[in-house]
Amino acid sequence: MALDAGLVGRSYPPSAVYEVGRAKIAEFAAAVGATDPAHTDPAAARALGHADVVAPPTFAIVVTLGAADVVIADPDVALDYSRVVHGEQRFTHHRPIRAGDRLVSTTTIEAVRTVAGNDMLTTRVDVATEDGEAVCTATSLLVARGTA
């Protein structure tokens, strides 16, 4: 079943606050092999002008993945998640994610289309501090494989 083009532009309420911790940044940095001391050493981060340790750029997935679940849970979207593969992921950073940040994410459906029987859904998750400072925008493409 093709996705409804009327979904484009649908935004969902902001997520719960995600508080970024030093330990989470360090764990993520180790998992992805990011060895820059600014990810684990507050003094190294301060020497670069940051208030605290900074996350590797792809740490944003930790914050945005759960926030985008509202789209999958939306019955109007009717996406068969058992047939979904991840087609693309992009991050646009407005500033680094830092330990101590309290972040909220707002998800919007950017595009829907069907190509060769496959439904394609593009979402945008805008990440900001709870005070409204823009931090990151994540864009992802999900592909629901056709049944033919």
Side-chain angles (χ1 to χ4, degrees), residues 2-98:
L3 294 171
D4 179 2
L7 294 167
V8 174
R10 181 176 289 192
S11 286
Y12 298 85
S15 67
V17 171
Y18 180 92
E19 188 161 354
V20 180
R22 284 182 184 166
K24 288 294 182 191
I25 291 174
E27 289 169 2
F28 188 87
V32 299
T35 58
D36 188 323
H39 302 316
T40 55
D41 180 357
R46 281 192 295 276
L48 295 171
H50 303 290
D52 207 328
V53 296
V54 294
T58 54
F59 181 86
I61 195 67
V62 172
V63 180
T64 62
L65 189 61
D69 283 347
V70 294
V71 174
I72 304 306
D74 185 341
D76 291 339
V77 175
L79 189 68
D80 181 358
Y81 201 70
S82 71
R83 304 196 60 77
V84 168
V85 294
H86 196 174
E88 184 177 310
Q89 183 74 50
R90 289 188 317 271
F91 299 105
T92 303
H93 290 275
H94 311 297
R95 68 139 170 100
I97 295 174
R98 300 183 289 251

